[in-house]
Amino acid sequence: MSDPLAFPMYAVNRRDTDALWLAVQELLVARGIPVGNLTPVLPQETLVEHWENPQLILSQTCGYPLVTQLLDVQVVGCFHYTAPGCESFYYRSVLVVREEDKQQTFADFRERTVVCNSTDSQSGYNVLMKRVTPLAVNGRFFSRVVLSGSHRQSLIDVKRGEGDIAAIDCVTWALLQRHEPALLDGLAIIDQSPLAPGLPLITAGETSPDTLAALREALRTLVSAAEYREICAALLIGGFSEVTRQPYSQLLDWRKAAQTAGIARL
């Protein structure tokens, strides 16, 4: 059975993610919203299957799947993160290369290999579509694209020389700096993407208006109550905003601009 409550996107440190799950579970149960499981979980099925669960209470997804695949879910809101590169509920990607290439500009990576976590990732793929739009020739900029499966693996691939550059969610980068600094040794940031709305918190399309309101109230309490301050700080959560789908249309605009320029893919 699909898990109705999960936080799968920034699970760099499982202890911290579990603490967030327990805090939100406590807040939801206090408001009469059952979450099913009694212990913290990460989705056991694919993420899309998890996000499309008609009994989904609360999860966090990526902005690009939200506007291209998850057309029936409701947006609850978005956390504010305190990582460098974040502003309010907006965030950026950082462009990461090997230390030996840190004096290069993005344009210098023409005809080199890019590593992306997945083609449906806003922070790891769609931001690069935006960056290459004014630079591509005959619809191409990079010579090759390697799909790694995760931001963490993208960094490993760049470090090993299996690719030359990757776009990494700035919150993931900051969490890895805290928990796995050795992983980032030998890597450098040369640039960052424009701001985009952060990873949306979602609930099923069938979730009632009353439950949606309770979810938002619970999340406001999570980021404001003293008893949850340490839990939020561990995950770089500094606030929460109610957000609709509207800001995420920007992400489709980026992809459409690339397509207009004749760029169908990286």
Side-chain angles (χ1 to χ4, degrees):
M1 178 179 291
S2 183
D3 300 309
L5 172 66
F7 295 98
M9 300 303 285
Y10 287 133
V12 172
N13 181 278
R14 183 61 189 269
R15 182 181 63 182
D16 293 342
T17 305
D18 287 354
L20 176 66
W21 190 99
L22 289 166
V24 173
Q25 179 205 43
E26 178 179 85
L27 288 162
L28 296 183
V29 169
R31 287 157 179 79
I33 303 174
V35 297
N37 297 293
L38 298 178
T39 55
V41 293
L42 291 176
Q44 300 302 305
E45 66 279 82
T46 69
L47 284 176
V48 172
E49 288 172 333
H50 163 67
W51 293 326
E52 291 180 336
N53 173 16
Q55 281 77 50
L56 183 69
I57 294 171
L58 185 66
S59 188
Q60 189 174 37
T61 186
C62 176
Y64 196 69
L66 176 74
V67 295
T68 57
Q69 300 179 69
L70 306 175
L71 303 184
D72 295 327
V73 303
Q74 300 181 73
V75 179
V76 178
C78 190
F79 286 133
H80 303 187
Y81 286 93
T82 60
C86 296
E87 298 178 24
S88 181
F89 68 89
Y90 288 82
Y91 78 139
R92 305 177 192 270
S93 295
V94 291
L95 303 183
V96 180
V97 302
R98 287 182 296 282
E99 187 79 21
E100 66 203 52
D101 286 331
K102 68 180 181 180
Q103 302 303 324
Q104 304 294 311
T105 68
F106 181 77
D108 293 325
F109 286 84
R110 183 185 303 278
E111 295 301 322
R112 297 184 71 178
T113 298
V114 64
V115 184
C116 305
N117 53 335
S118 66
T119 57
D120 65 352
S121 170
Q122 164 58 26
S123 57
Y125 190 93
N126 200 40
V127 294
L128 292 169
M129 292 287 283
K130 180 173 178 60
R131 290 302 301 264
V132 304
T133 295
L135 300 172
V137 176
N138 297 323
R140 297 303 301 272
F141 178 77
F142 297 111
S143 64
R144 191 166 69 98
V145 180
V146 173
L147 296 179
S148 67
S150 70
H151 281 308
R152 186 180 185 279
Q153 187 60 47
S154 292
L155 292 167
I156 292 170
D157 287 351
V158 170
K159 193 170 179 177
R160 290 175 176 171
E162 295 170 18
D164 300 303
I165 188 169
I168 306 296
D169 178 315
C170 67
V171 179
T172 297
W173 177 268
L175 289 170
L176 288 170
Q177 280 185 312
R178 177 177 291 182
H179 295 291
E180 296 187 66
L183 178 66
L184 308 185
D185 287 346
L187 297 173
I189 294 172
I190 61 164
D191 206 346
Q192 58 186 11
S193 73
L195 284 168
L199 275 60
L201 295 156
I202 60 170
T203 190
E206 299 175 12
T207 297
S208 71
D210 286 347
T211 298
L212 178 59
L215 287 169
R216 289 170 168 164
E217 201 278 326
L219 292 170
R220 285 193 295 269
T221 300
L222 173 75
V223 301
S224 61
E227 60 262 42
Y228 303 116
R229 194 166 297 150
E230 185 175 339
I231 292 170
C232 288
L235 288 164
L236 307 178
I237 295 170
F240 167 77
S241 287
E242 294 183 21
V243 179
T244 66
R245 281 180 170 268
Q246 193 281 326
Y248 294 92
S249 63
Q250 170 186 345
L251 311 184
L252 285 177
D253 292 341
W254 290 6
R255 188 65 69 98
K256 288 174 183 176
Q259 292 169 343
T260 300
I263 305 166
R265 58 186 175 84
L266 286 178

